[in-house]
């Protein structure tokens, strides 16, 4: 996510707190927030994909995705 987009999110947050937002600005804020969340999650997933666990003997093994019970 570009710094300009983050700055715009912050600008809209300040405006929402003090003045209020128009419908178009609320929609823009929602789109920017979703993009920010997706960016953060993507970065986290990328980092976890490159994470290894090291046991007592010094063996490295890739971090596995936890299986969920449904």
């Amino acid at each position: 996510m570009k710094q300009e987009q983050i700055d715009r999110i912050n600008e809209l947050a300040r405006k929402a707190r003090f003045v209020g937002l128009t419908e178009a600005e609320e929609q823009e804020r929602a789109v920017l927030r979703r993009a920010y969340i997706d960016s953060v999650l993507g970065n986290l997933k990328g980092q976890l994909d490159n994470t290894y666990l090291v046991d007592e003997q010094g063996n490295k093994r890739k971090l596995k995705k936890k299986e969920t019970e449904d």
Side-chain angles (χ1 to χ4, degrees):
M1 172 161 261
K2 296 179 183 176
Q3 186 61 43
E4 295 85 28
Q5 293 171 313
I6 295 171
D7 292 342
R8 181 65 178 154
I9 291 170
N10 292 330
E11 179 184 329
L12 289 170
R14 279 189 297 278
K15 185 176 179 188
R17 227 177 292 132
F18 296 113
V19 180
L21 298 176
T22 65
E23 184 66 32
E25 289 171 330
E26 287 179 10
Q27 290 175 356
E28 178 186 7
R29 180 175 68 168
V31 169
L32 288 170
R33 282 180 170 177
R34 182 78 259 164
Y36 179 78
I37 290 168
D38 291 344
S39 172
V40 169
L41 289 176
N43 290 339
L44 179 60
K45 287 178 184 176
Q47 187 156 6
L48 290 174
D49 286 344
N50 293 309
T51 300
Y52 293 85
L53 297 175
V54 180
D55 63 14
E56 297 82 23
Q57 290 80 31
N59 300 318
K60 289 187 347 181
R61 57 187 173 97
K62 195 153 180 72
L63 188 63
K64 295 181 193 174
K65 187 173 183 177
K66 185 177 179 179
E67 294 181 24
T68 59
E69 296 179 21
D70 292 331

